[in-house]
Amino acid sequence: MLDIVIRIALLCCSLAMLGLIYRVIKGPAIPDRVIALDAVGVNLVAITALISIVLHSSAFLEIILLIGILAFIGTIAFAKYLEKGVIIERDSHR
Amino acid sequence: MTVIVNFLIGFFILAGAILCLIATFGVIRLPDVYTRNHAASKAATLGVMSILLGTFLYFYSFEGHFNSRLILGIVFLFMTSPISGHLINRAAYNSGVKLWDRSVRDDLKEYQKKLHEE
């Protein structure tokens, strides 16, 4: 029973990623695309967890934390770039 | 006992996956950036946290080891996903993305205008 449930969940997550990729391609503004890419990263975390259940292996559970951290840093960098035009500012008083 | 644990794992994983799908429908169908961000940063976060909780229960009950990295992942996702949603929303507002044309009031615009006049 659990096997079928995990298959259905993988199908749902894959459909969710397809819809988000539609929004990445079509999105009218840049923030739409950034939001959709962030959600793709979060969905990738879910797919990694489900795949590690399917493979009966706990070797991929570090990847979950890693993808979460990378998606967060990437989204913050994009937000700062959109707002200020630079990501790392120069020291002004020197 | 194992039937109850099986049921809990199945419930958490299925609920999380369906929440992810609902978040995607929100991202596709809602009209502007801010409502899309509302869908993506709340429903997807809860769905993925639920899937990670189901995975944690699976490894705890069937493989028999307590995986603290999954707990850390749940806590990290819960802390950072709303923050990134807030930051990208503020960047969208400050870089001039329009609200939906049927939205009725915009308090931040009036506040920024007043701040500009002083």
Side-chain angles (χ1 to χ4, degrees):
Chain A
M1 187 199 93
L2 203 57
D3 203 35
I4 300 171
V5 165
I6 289 168
R7 298 290 157 90
I8 294 172
L10 271 174
L11 189 68
C12 284
C13 285
S14 316
L15 286 179
M17 280 179 83
L18 271 184
L20 290 170
I21 285 171
Y22 164 77
R23 180 51 74 193
V24 171
I25 293 170
K26 185 172 169 289
I30 303 289
D32 281 314
R33 299 194 167 99
V34 180
I35 288 166
L37 279 177
D38 188 44
V40 165
V42 169
N43 264 335
L44 208 58
V45 168
I47 286 182
T48 312
L50 292 174
I51 288 288
S52 70
I53 291 182
V54 170
L55 297 178
H56 299 289
S57 145
S58 64
F60 301 123
L61 298 180
E62 286 95 350
I63 309 295
I64 289 172
L65 213 49
L66 198 62
I67 294 175
I69 292 170
L70 285 181
F72 179 57
I73 292 174
T75 310
I76 281 184
F78 260 119
K80 195 163 179 199
Y81 176 71
L82 285 176
E83 200 164 345
K84 299 195 173 159
V86 291
I87 296 174
I88 301 171
E89 289 162 49
R90 303 185 70 166
D91 237 354
S92 57
H93 45 79
R94 185 183 288 176
Chain B
M1 188 62 198
T2 181
V3 175
I4 299 173
V5 171
N6 247 332
F7 180 76
L8 270 181
I9 294 168
F11 172 74
F12 276 127
I13 287 178
L14 208 57
I18 289 173
L19 271 173
C20 282
L21 201 56
I22 290 172
T24 301
F25 282 133
V27 171
I28 291 174
R29 285 187 52 91
L30 284 172
D32 67 349
V33 176
Y34 309 102
T35 47
R36 272 176 216 143
N37 194 4
H38 177 87
S41 73
K42 289 177 181 62
T45 305
L46 183 61
V48 173
M49 278 167 62
S50 174
I51 286 179
L52 288 183
L53 191 59
T55 311
F56 172 76
L57 281 180
Y58 176 83
F59 280 107
Y60 187 53
S61 66
F62 287 97
E63 316 274 320
H65 77 283
F66 183 90
N67 201 309
S68 58
R69 276 161 299 206
L70 276 173
I71 298 290
L72 205 59
I74 293 174
V75 172
F76 187 80
L77 215 64
F78 184 64
M79 285 194 306
T80 60
S81 185
I83 294 175
S84 63
H86 164 75
L87 282 175
I88 196 68
N89 233 354
R90 198 181 65 173
Y93 193 89
N94 286 339
S95 66
V97 178
K98 292 272 189 297
L99 269 72
W100 190 27
D101 52 356
R102 273 200 266 165
S103 52
V104 288
R105 58 186 290 177
D106 187 0
D107 282 342
L108 185 55
K109 194 164 114 187
E110 291 163 16
Y111 179 73
Q112 278 181 347
K113 205 193 298 174
K114 202 166 69 183
L115 213 65
H116 202 68
E117 280 167 2
E118 281 173 3

